[in-house]
Amino acid sequence: MSACILVFVSTVLGCHYVVRLLPLWLAGHRDRSRPAMFSKGTKRKFSDGEDEMPDDGLAGAKVASSAYSLQRQSLLDMSLIKLQLCHMLVEPNLCRSVLIANTVRQIQEEMTHDGSWQVVSDSLGVEGSPSERLVATEVLCRSPSPSSTLSEQELERDTEPRLYSLVSYDDSSCREEEVVAEVIEDDNEALCSEAASNVCLSGTMSHCWEPGELRVQQNNDDICEDSRLGSGDEDVDVEEEDEDEEEEQEMSQKESKTMGQVFGTFEIKNGSSGSESALEELFSDVDASYYDLDTMLTGMQSTPKIGPYDLLDNLGPSHGPTSIGSTANCRSDLNELDHIMEIIVGS
Amino acid sequence: MFCLTQHLQHLSDALTQSALQSVITGTVLLEGQVTCSGTHWQFKCSLNLRLCCLLVHRRVSNSPGYYHTADIISTVEFNYSGDLLATGDKGGRVVIFQREQESKNRPLSRGEYNVYSTFQSHEPEFDYLKSLEIEEKINKIRWLPQQNAAHFLLSTNDKTIKLWKISERDKRAEGYNLKDEDGRLRDPFRITSLRVPVLMPMDLMVEASPRRIFANAHTYHINSISVNSDHETYLSADDLRINLWHLEITDRSFNIVDIKPANMEELTEVITAAECHPHQCNVFVYSSSKGTIRLCDMRAAALCDRHSKFFEEPEDPSSRSFFSEIISSISDVKFSHSGRYMMTRDYLSVKVWDLNMENRPVETYQVHEYLRSKLCSLYENDCIFDKFECCWNGSDSAIMTGSYNNFFRMFDRNTRRDITLEASRENSKPRAILKPRKVCTGGKRKKDEISVDSLDFNKKILHTAWHPKENVIAVAATNNLYIFQDKIN
């Protein structure tokens, strides 16, 4: 199961709950055992089979456990924002970053055990309500016939690899390889993925948290090995050199360069892959607007640097989870993106 | 029991870059009365602390009432005799205070600390490779035992450690043959007679000069330095590594602990503090962000990644929360003077450990347990990451640590009594009897109590120091240095 999905989707869910979350921030900590208590309660009630079983009780149990989930979610969001917002002039405090990252990890583990993110990831694969899906891809895939084939492909394929394909990580040449490799694989998905790329990027970064547990991770490992063994790419050499570098800044700069390469590859792919001129035209429009979008969406970030790729520069001293923070941007990205895509596609 | 003896404001002559206001407010008696909620009992604390002096760090240009962030005191340390007190601030400046000697003329001035020397220890730097600034904030100061007339101390910022020599000059040679009193060289042919230069007294001048600079050994931020009992070596610890230095050698250091994982993504624990044993020069301890302390013996191996002793208190499952790990992170570790015990400070408590028992501390003192229900908001405003320090008194019978709202807490280990005091100007007025403070956690707030919600979390006392021999304490509150003294009248 993909932790990256978890983080990303939880953010998606989070944007619906963000208003409600605020009061809970000061509510103090809830007993961790509560959800278990409540789930026990609901089971009991079900087994009773009494009609007069109070719906209030059920609802109350649900509300309380969902309140706990909301609070946990708010804590997760707060932690991600903390990881993202770091001083640009001075190196961020490693101890603080590690503690926040451990907290995020702990929340994720608990959500894993609760099965909360299971629900979430299920809703991703299923054609459920728009609120639970990646809005951008949903919009794209609902578009009329020219892209219907696309939507089928979109639905067939697991979205996870696509999200995953944009990952880029510090001092890991393996993953940077993956970036290039995945891109080469994706042909027609480029359309969908590009629209979603902005938002997916940050979500993918957390995948490395639980290696081996992820289905996608295995994919990646395979790809990684292949690309490592097979290619005499310049990328390999460059990355191996950089692997020894401890300098975070250089890595992130290289990453953003790689990401730039990726994005460049996307463009090339888009130009040649679209079998239909309408798609090409559509896509070329999106290209330009993307950069503009990035320029616009600087409000969420604390730094003047723009775009999700530039978020790599914000990475703390070679500590991975700091990159998670960019998911916070996805929320506004999503909304804006949704709006723009609706205009372009829906018309 | 209270009187205002003198109210002085003066600028020290020794200052070069900034003016320091020294405000001596006289003696104010702090009564040791504590009322505990629940069981009402009153007792007199054995310490009657009076405010000895209040010293304000301030740079010249600022208007009174405001302080520059560079004036915030970041470390406080007494030397081995207690006559000198060094403070470091965020602006990289070190100010050393010296205790006035007793004199019959001014009997009440015994124990006042006045500015002795001030110098700029560290300057802001720029790391071109990472495009990041290196803060000049002084993280730690440690004195070396005095071996001659001069005083030596180590001061460190995030990356560089410097050894400073502070020496006095109160004599000057006069009557040189080859140069004038102005210093101009004389023409040798003009000299008709020779004389022997004579040492004449002059105004005391205190000079600080950097003798060694230990640089480029730490990739991460230095959080601790500790002088070894052999007086030849010292250790410096950053987030992931500990290095051992020789005081004479600046271009090499031994790495003795390295907890950096091969894959930085697997990093879950960092080093938060380290200290050498006060008597055994081969033993040191380091604490981690997970609430563990490792004692290492340098005789065992060159790289002390494998600990000799591992101190960790099992977690109480009933109080587990998402913040459990953060509040268990140890911010300071200090050996007792005897070397038998060590003390650790985590966010909510202070624990005393017996070095012979690893599975739990022998004593635990709650510093501000009322904050446990506020952890979420403290996490939000980042206060949960504040690193409080702690210190022993000279006889190891009492310990002290800071809290919020300019409160600091002292615990008597023998009687298990504790007291909360406040370091603030308003409460240090002459003719005012200071009472110990009490924080009310809920329900009805009594008079003179403060409710948890009205605590000022911007006023935090992170750094305190206790005189090695007497009951004199130094408390740093933002840019103010309070020195309290126990005077028996």
Side-chain angles (χ1 to χ4, degrees), chain B residues 326-350:
Chain B
I326 299 180
I327 62 169
S328 72
S329 171
I330 292 173
S331 52
D332 193 19
V333 63
K334 289 264 170 51
F335 277 106
S336 65
H337 291 93
S338 62
R340 166 125 188 243
Y341 299 96
M342 68 176 175
M343 164 168 59
T344 58
R345 174 72 157 99
D346 50 75
Y347 190 63
L348 295 180
S349 67
V350 182

PDB file of all heavy atoms in Angstrom, chain B residues 326-350:
ATOM      1  N   ILE B 326       7.926  13.556  21.171  1.00  0.00           N
ATOM      2  CA  ILE B 326       8.490  14.907  21.183  1.00  0.00           C
ATOM      3  C   ILE B 326       8.779  15.353  22.615  1.00  0.00           C
ATOM      4  O   ILE B 326       9.826  15.934  22.886  1.00  0.00           O
ATOM      5  CB  ILE B 326       7.537  15.894  20.494  1.00  0.00           C
ATOM      6  CG1 ILE B 326       7.319  15.482  19.044  1.00  0.00           C
ATOM      7  CG2 ILE B 326       8.091  17.299  20.569  1.00  0.00           C
ATOM      8  CD1 ILE B 326       6.395  16.396  18.284  1.00  0.00           C
ATOM      9  N   ILE B 327       7.850  15.074  23.524  1.00  0.00           N
ATOM     10  CA  ILE B 327       8.101  15.553  24.880  1.00  0.00           C
ATOM     11  C   ILE B 327       9.096  14.680  25.621  1.00  0.00           C
ATOM     12  O   ILE B 327       9.586  15.054  26.673  1.00  0.00           O
ATOM     13  CB  ILE B 327       6.795  15.686  25.701  1.00  0.00           C
ATOM     14  CG1 ILE B 327       6.113  14.323  25.865  1.00  0.00           C
ATOM     15  CG2 ILE B 327       5.872  16.701  25.067  1.00  0.00           C
ATOM     16  CD1 ILE B 327       4.983  14.374  26.869  1.00  0.00           C
ATOM     17  N   SER B 328       9.398  13.531  25.068  1.00  0.00           N
ATOM     18  CA  SER B 328      10.412  12.713  25.722  1.00  0.00           C
ATOM     19  C   SER B 328      11.816  13.071  25.263  1.00  0.00           C
ATOM     20  O   SER B 328      12.796  12.631  25.856  1.00  0.00           O
ATOM     21  CB  SER B 328      10.153  11.223  25.442  1.00  0.00           C
ATOM     22  OG  SER B 328      10.472  10.928  24.095  1.00  0.00           O
ATOM     23  N   SER B 329      11.897  13.873  24.226  1.00  0.00           N
ATOM     24  CA  SER B 329      13.203  14.263  23.710  1.00  0.00           C
ATOM     25  C   SER B 329      13.978  15.011  24.786  1.00  0.00           C
ATOM     26  O   SER B 329      13.473  15.956  25.388  1.00  0.00           O
ATOM     27  CB  SER B 329      13.012  15.151  22.474  1.00  0.00           C
ATOM     28  OG  SER B 329      14.234  15.711  22.080  1.00  0.00           O
ATOM     29  N   ILE B 330      15.203  14.587  25.026  1.00  0.00           N
ATOM     30  CA  ILE B 330      15.992  15.163  26.115  1.00  0.00           C
ATOM     31  C   ILE B 330      16.695  16.413  25.614  1.00  0.00           C
ATOM     32  O   ILE B 330      17.392  16.374  24.595  1.00  0.00           O
ATOM     33  CB  ILE B 330      16.986  14.124  26.642  1.00  0.00           C
ATOM     34  CG1 ILE B 330      16.202  13.014  27.345  1.00  0.00           C
ATOM     35  CG2 ILE B 330      17.982  14.760  27.595  1.00  0.00           C
ATOM     36  CD1 ILE B 330      17.040  11.849  27.753  1.00  0.00           C
ATOM     37  N   SER B 331      16.519  17.508  26.314  1.00  0.00           N
ATOM     38  CA  SER B 331      17.118  18.758  25.868  1.00  0.00           C
ATOM     39  C   SER B 331      18.443  19.051  26.555  1.00  0.00           C
ATOM     40  O   SER B 331      19.233  19.846  26.052  1.00  0.00           O
ATOM     41  CB  SER B 331      16.146  19.914  26.103  1.00  0.00           C
ATOM     42  OG  SER B 331      15.715  19.896  27.447  1.00  0.00           O
ATOM     43  N   ASP B 332      18.693  18.425  27.713  1.00  0.00           N
ATOM     44  CA  ASP B 332      19.942  18.697  28.413  1.00  0.00           C
ATOM     45  C   ASP B 332      20.289  17.508  29.295  1.00  0.00           C
ATOM     46  O   ASP B 332      19.409  16.853  29.858  1.00  0.00           O
ATOM     47  CB  ASP B 332      19.796  19.963  29.280  1.00  0.00           C
ATOM     48  CG  ASP B 332      21.140  20.483  29.771  1.00  0.00           C
ATOM     49  OD1 ASP B 332      22.182  20.113  29.176  1.00  0.00           O
ATOM     50  OD2 ASP B 332      21.158  21.248  30.751  1.00  0.00           O
ATOM     51  N   VAL B 333      21.567  17.245  29.420  1.00  0.00           N
ATOM     52  CA  VAL B 333      22.036  16.205  30.330  1.00  0.00           C
ATOM     53  C   VAL B 333      23.227  16.752  31.108  1.00  0.00           C
ATOM     54  O   VAL B 333      24.113  17.390  30.532  1.00  0.00           O
ATOM     55  CB  VAL B 333      22.397  14.899  29.569  1.00  0.00           C
ATOM     56  CG1 VAL B 333      23.543  15.106  28.602  1.00  0.00           C
ATOM     57  CG2 VAL B 333      22.734  13.798  30.530  1.00  0.00           C
ATOM     58  N   LYS B 334      23.216  16.546  32.428  1.00  0.00           N
ATOM     59  CA  LYS B 334      24.287  17.083  33.262  1.00  0.00           C
ATOM     60  C   LYS B 334      24.670  16.050  34.313  1.00  0.00           C
ATOM     61  O   LYS B 334      23.811  15.517  35.027  1.00  0.00           O
ATOM     62  CB  LYS B 334      23.802  18.355  33.989  1.00  0.00           C
ATOM     63  CG  LYS B 334      23.605  19.561  33.074  1.00  0.00           C
ATOM     64  CD  LYS B 334      24.834  20.442  33.110  1.00  0.00           C
ATOM     65  CE  LYS B 334      24.834  21.528  32.046  1.00  0.00           C
ATOM     66  NZ  LYS B 334      23.618  22.325  31.989  1.00  0.00           N
ATOM     67  N   PHE B 335      25.945  15.798  34.412  1.00  0.00           N
ATOM     68  CA  PHE B 335      26.425  14.955  35.502  1.00  0.00           C
ATOM     69  C   PHE B 335      26.360  15.746  36.806  1.00  0.00           C
ATOM     70  O   PHE B 335      26.524  16.966  36.832  1.00  0.00           O
ATOM     71  CB  PHE B 335      27.883  14.551  35.255  1.00  0.00           C
ATOM     72  CG  PHE B 335      28.042  13.379  34.342  1.00  0.00           C
ATOM     73  CD1 PHE B 335      28.489  13.562  33.044  1.00  0.00           C
ATOM     74  CD2 PHE B 335      27.751  12.095  34.777  1.00  0.00           C
ATOM     75  CE1 PHE B 335      28.648  12.474  32.204  1.00  0.00           C
ATOM     76  CE2 PHE B 335      27.907  11.007  33.937  1.00  0.00           C
ATOM     77  CZ  PHE B 335      28.354  11.196  32.642  1.00  0.00           C
ATOM     78  N   SER B 336      26.181  15.002  37.885  1.00  0.00           N
ATOM     79  CA  SER B 336      26.289  15.655  39.186  1.00  0.00           C
ATOM     80  C   SER B 336      27.761  15.904  39.456  1.00  0.00           C
ATOM     81  O   SER B 336      28.643  15.319  38.821  1.00  0.00           O
ATOM     82  CB  SER B 336      25.682  14.771  40.275  1.00  0.00           C
ATOM     83  OG  SER B 336      26.442  13.577  40.407  1.00  0.00           O
ATOM     84  N   HIS B 337      28.032  16.772  40.417  1.00  0.00           N
ATOM     85  CA  HIS B 337      29.431  17.064  40.722  1.00  0.00           C
ATOM     86  C   HIS B 337      30.139  15.831  41.265  1.00  0.00           C
ATOM     87  O   HIS B 337      31.344  15.666  41.093  1.00  0.00           O
ATOM     88  CB  HIS B 337      29.521  18.212  41.733  1.00  0.00           C
ATOM     89  CG  HIS B 337      29.105  19.522  41.147  1.00  0.00           C
ATOM     90  ND1 HIS B 337      27.817  20.000  41.237  1.00  0.00           N
ATOM     91  CD2 HIS B 337      29.789  20.452  40.439  1.00  0.00           C
ATOM     92  CE1 HIS B 337      27.737  21.173  40.620  1.00  0.00           C
ATOM     93  NE2 HIS B 337      28.918  21.470  40.116  1.00  0.00           N
ATOM     94  N   SER B 338      29.391  14.980  41.916  1.00  0.00           N
ATOM     95  CA  SER B 338      29.998  13.773  42.474  1.00  0.00           C
ATOM     96  C   SER B 338      30.341  12.753  41.397  1.00  0.00           C
ATOM     97  O   SER B 338      31.206  11.914  41.588  1.00  0.00           O
ATOM     98  CB  SER B 338      29.037  13.136  43.475  1.00  0.00           C
ATOM     99  OG  SER B 338      27.838  12.750  42.815  1.00  0.00           O
ATOM    100  N   GLY B 339      29.625  12.846  40.279  1.00  0.00           N
ATOM    101  CA  GLY B 339      29.862  11.885  39.208  1.00  0.00           C
ATOM    102  C   GLY B 339      29.063  10.611  39.349  1.00  0.00           C
ATOM    103  O   GLY B 339      29.165   9.713  38.521  1.00  0.00           O
ATOM    104  N   ARG B 340      28.258  10.545  40.372  1.00  0.00           N
ATOM    105  CA  ARG B 340      27.483   9.328  40.585  1.00  0.00           C
ATOM    106  C   ARG B 340      26.132   9.377  39.877  1.00  0.00           C
ATOM    107  O   ARG B 340      25.580   8.371  39.461  1.00  0.00           O
ATOM    108  CB  ARG B 340      27.271   9.133  42.086  1.00  0.00           C
ATOM    109  CG  ARG B 340      26.214   8.124  42.414  1.00  0.00           C
ATOM    110  CD  ARG B 340      26.693   7.025  43.312  1.00  0.00           C
ATOM    111  NE  ARG B 340      25.621   6.024  43.392  1.00  0.00           N
ATOM    112  CZ  ARG B 340      24.987   5.704  44.516  1.00  0.00           C
ATOM    113  NH1 ARG B 340      25.340   6.290  45.646  1.00  0.00           N
ATOM    114  NH2 ARG B 340      24.019   4.809  44.501  1.00  0.00           N
ATOM    115  N   TYR B 341      25.601  10.599  39.754  1.00  0.00           N
ATOM    116  CA  TYR B 341      24.287  10.759  39.161  1.00  0.00           C
ATOM    117  C   TYR B 341      24.379  11.607  37.906  1.00  0.00           C
ATOM    118  O   TYR B 341      25.363  12.309  37.667  1.00  0.00           O
ATOM    119  CB  TYR B 341      23.331  11.461  40.139  1.00  0.00           C
ATOM    120  CG  TYR B 341      23.109  10.705  41.425  1.00  0.00           C
ATOM    121  CD1 TYR B 341      23.854  11.014  42.561  1.00  0.00           C
ATOM    122  CD2 TYR B 341      22.155   9.698  41.500  1.00  0.00           C
ATOM    123  CE1 TYR B 341      23.649  10.327  43.742  1.00  0.00           C
ATOM    124  CE2 TYR B 341      21.953   9.004  42.678  1.00  0.00           C
ATOM    125  CZ  TYR B 341      22.691   9.322  43.788  1.00  0.00           C
ATOM    126  OH  TYR B 341      22.496   8.644  44.961  1.00  0.00           O
ATOM    127  N   MET B 342      23.321  11.531  37.125  1.00  0.00           N
ATOM    128  CA  MET B 342      23.195  12.491  36.038  1.00  0.00           C
ATOM    129  C   MET B 342      21.731  12.918  35.962  1.00  0.00           C
ATOM    130  O   MET B 342      20.823  12.196  36.401  1.00  0.00           O
ATOM    131  CB  MET B 342      23.661  11.910  34.712  1.00  0.00           C
ATOM    132  CG  MET B 342      22.792  10.804  34.160  1.00  0.00           C
ATOM    133  SD  MET B 342      23.374  10.276  32.537  1.00  0.00           S
ATOM    134  CE  MET B 342      22.242   8.914  32.276  1.00  0.00           C
ATOM    135  N   MET B 343      21.536  14.078  35.419  1.00  0.00           N
ATOM    136  CA  MET B 343      20.191  14.647  35.350  1.00  0.00           C
ATOM    137  C   MET B 343      19.844  14.900  33.895  1.00  0.00           C
ATOM    138  O   MET B 343      20.695  15.363  33.132  1.00  0.00           O
ATOM    139  CB  MET B 343      20.181  15.949  36.150  1.00  0.00           C
ATOM    140  CG  MET B 343      18.999  16.856  35.869  1.00  0.00           C
ATOM    141  SD  MET B 343      18.861  18.189  37.057  1.00  0.00           S
ATOM    142  CE  MET B 343      20.413  19.025  36.859  1.00  0.00           C
ATOM    143  N   THR B 344      18.629  14.592  33.535  1.00  0.00           N
ATOM    144  CA  THR B 344      18.181  14.860  32.164  1.00  0.00           C
ATOM    145  C   THR B 344      16.929  15.717  32.213  1.00  0.00           C
ATOM    146  O   THR B 344      16.113  15.605  33.126  1.00  0.00           O
ATOM    147  CB  THR B 344      17.860  13.567  31.395  1.00  0.00           C
ATOM    148  OG1 THR B 344      16.846  12.832  32.090  1.00  0.00           O
ATOM    149  CG2 THR B 344      19.086  12.717  31.226  1.00  0.00           C
ATOM    150  N   ARG B 345      16.797  16.569  31.238  1.00  0.00           N
ATOM    151  CA  ARG B 345      15.627  17.440  31.152  1.00  0.00           C
ATOM    152  C   ARG B 345      14.887  17.114  29.864  1.00  0.00           C
ATOM    153  O   ARG B 345      15.443  17.192  28.776  1.00  0.00           O
ATOM    154  CB  ARG B 345      16.105  18.898  31.134  1.00  0.00           C
ATOM    155  CG  ARG B 345      15.031  19.946  30.905  1.00  0.00           C
ATOM    156  CD  ARG B 345      14.147  20.096  32.121  1.00  0.00           C
ATOM    157  NE  ARG B 345      13.492  21.399  32.155  1.00  0.00           N
ATOM    158  CZ  ARG B 345      12.238  21.615  31.764  1.00  0.00           C
ATOM    159  NH1 ARG B 345      11.515  20.633  31.282  1.00  0.00           N
ATOM    160  NH2 ARG B 345      11.716  22.840  31.856  1.00  0.00           N
ATOM    161  N   ASP B 346      13.635  16.697  30.017  1.00  0.00           N
ATOM    162  CA  ASP B 346      12.805  16.598  28.830  1.00  0.00           C
ATOM    163  C   ASP B 346      11.754  17.693  28.937  1.00  0.00           C
ATOM    164  O   ASP B 346      11.873  18.564  29.781  1.00  0.00           O
ATOM    165  CB  ASP B 346      12.193  15.194  28.700  1.00  0.00           C
ATOM    166  CG  ASP B 346      11.525  14.751  29.980  1.00  0.00           C
ATOM    167  OD1 ASP B 346      10.421  15.255  30.286  1.00  0.00           O
ATOM    168  OD2 ASP B 346      12.118  13.920  30.694  1.00  0.00           O
ATOM    169  N   TYR B 347      10.758  17.664  28.101  1.00  0.00           N
ATOM    170  CA  TYR B 347       9.917  18.848  28.011  1.00  0.00           C
ATOM    171  C   TYR B 347       9.150  19.134  29.298  1.00  0.00           C
ATOM    172  O   TYR B 347       9.033  20.277  29.709  1.00  0.00           O
ATOM    173  CB  TYR B 347       8.944  18.718  26.836  1.00  0.00           C
ATOM    174  CG  TYR B 347       8.212  20.000  26.543  1.00  0.00           C
ATOM    175  CD1 TYR B 347       8.911  21.132  26.130  1.00  0.00           C
ATOM    176  CD2 TYR B 347       6.834  20.102  26.693  1.00  0.00           C
ATOM    177  CE1 TYR B 347       8.254  22.313  25.880  1.00  0.00           C
ATOM    178  CE2 TYR B 347       6.169  21.283  26.434  1.00  0.00           C
ATOM    179  CZ  TYR B 347       6.884  22.388  26.026  1.00  0.00           C
ATOM    180  OH  TYR B 347       6.241  23.568  25.778  1.00  0.00           O
ATOM    181  N   LEU B 348       8.656  18.103  29.924  1.00  0.00           N
ATOM    182  CA  LEU B 348       7.797  18.337  31.085  1.00  0.00           C
ATOM    183  C   LEU B 348       8.447  17.996  32.417  1.00  0.00           C
ATOM    184  O   LEU B 348       7.898  18.329  33.461  1.00  0.00           O
ATOM    185  CB  LEU B 348       6.497  17.503  30.962  1.00  0.00           C
ATOM    186  CG  LEU B 348       5.554  17.853  29.813  1.00  0.00           C
ATOM    187  CD1 LEU B 348       4.340  16.932  29.843  1.00  0.00           C
ATOM    188  CD2 LEU B 348       5.095  19.304  29.908  1.00  0.00           C
ATOM    189  N   SER B 349       9.567  17.343  32.400  1.00  0.00           N
ATOM    190  CA  SER B 349      10.101  16.883  33.691  1.00  0.00           C
ATOM    191  C   SER B 349      11.621  16.901  33.707  1.00  0.00           C
ATOM    192  O   SER B 349      12.279  17.078  32.684  1.00  0.00           O
ATOM    193  CB  SER B 349       9.598  15.465  33.981  1.00  0.00           C
ATOM    194  OG  SER B 349      10.155  14.555  33.055  1.00  0.00           O
ATOM    195  N   VAL B 350      12.136  16.735  34.924  1.00  0.00           N
ATOM    196  CA  VAL B 350      13.577  16.560  35.130  1.00  0.00           C
ATOM    197  C   VAL B 350      13.751  15.212  35.809  1.00  0.00           C
ATOM    198  O   VAL B 350      13.021  14.894  36.751  1.00  0.00           O
ATOM    199  CB  VAL B 350      14.145  17.666  36.046  1.00  0.00           C
ATOM    200  CG1 VAL B 350      15.637  17.486  36.205  1.00  0.00           C
ATOM    201  CG2 VAL B 350      13.847  19.039  35.499  1.00  0.00           C
TER     202      VAL B 350
END
